[in-house]
Amino acid sequence: MKKRGFGVGKWNGPGGKQDKEDVDILHTAQRECQEEVGVKPLDLQNRGSIFFVFPHQPSWSNHCHIFSSSSWEGEICESEEMKPEWFDIENIPWKSMWDDDHLWLPEVIKGNSVHWTFWFDEEGKVAKSEPKLEEGEISTI
């Protein structure tokens, strides 16, 4: 559960902005996991990226790189930023998460990559979404 800042009160994965000291985006992902939930992912897999657009509040718009990991060092723990909790896949609390999560997170859980853009309205609901297709893919939406 996000405890402060953007997205407070929602279940969300660790993440944040790249620091000057970060060698690359993988290092950023590892550092953010360590800071927010106490673990260092060992086998980060790039699962794509998502653009989040907030037309009513442009400073909230961001580009998010998505990673998954099946192994890590350390013990999961609460931080000032995040209160982590494990959920069985069939009990993911979609209603307490960002409105777009149910559209892309199941694909990441299956091991697939995602490339989306989501536009949000003033209530934080998805107003429009558009999959960003890889070259050669055909849209079925």
Side-chain angles (χ1 to χ4, degrees):
M1 175 75 61
K2 187 82 159 83
K3 292 170 50 179
R4 66 178 185 187
F6 190 69
V8 68
K10 295 183 183 296
W11 289 108
N12 199 16
K17 295 180 180 158
Q18 194 168 16
D19 286 348
K20 288 183 248 178
E21 303 82 35
D22 293 335
V23 176
D24 56 27
I25 200 69
L26 286 171
H27 183 261
T28 302
Q30 285 183 323
R31 179 184 52 74
E32 289 288 347
C33 284
Q34 286 180 295
E35 289 175 4
E36 294 185 8
V37 298
V39 298
K40 177 183 178 182
L42 300 176
D43 64 339
L44 281 172
Q45 300 294 312
N46 186 338
R47 297 294 179 205
S49 66
I50 301 176
F51 288 90
F52 299 103
V53 182
F54 295 84
H56 64 284
Q57 191 72 30
S59 65
W60 294 355
S61 298
N62 64 84
H63 176 211
C64 183
H65 297 271
I66 308 297
F67 295 95
S68 65
S69 180
S70 60
S71 63
W72 54 88
E73 290 177 345
E75 294 293 323
I76 195 167
C77 63
E78 186 171 347
S79 68
E80 291 180 12
E81 183 85 16
M82 189 83 70
K83 179 182 178 192
E85 187 171 328
W86 292 110
F87 294 97
D88 291 329
I89 290 174
E90 59 275 358
N91 293 318
I92 294 174
W94 301 114
K95 291 181 180 180
S96 299
M97 297 168 70
W98 282 100
D99 191 43
D100 61 288
D101 290 351
H102 73 280
L103 298 170
W104 62 268
L105 186 55
E107 292 302 315
V108 171
I109 291 169
K110 291 177 196 172
N112 297 324
S113 292
V114 295
H115 303 276
W116 284 80
T117 300
F118 294 99
W119 289 263
F120 290 84
D121 64 19
E122 292 182 14
E123 285 78 42
K125 300 292 182 189
V126 173
K128 177 182 172 186
S129 65
E130 181 178 297
K132 294 176 59 177
L133 303 176
E134 296 297 309
E135 189 173 334
E137 286 187 275
I138 299 172
S139 176
T140 57
I141 296 176

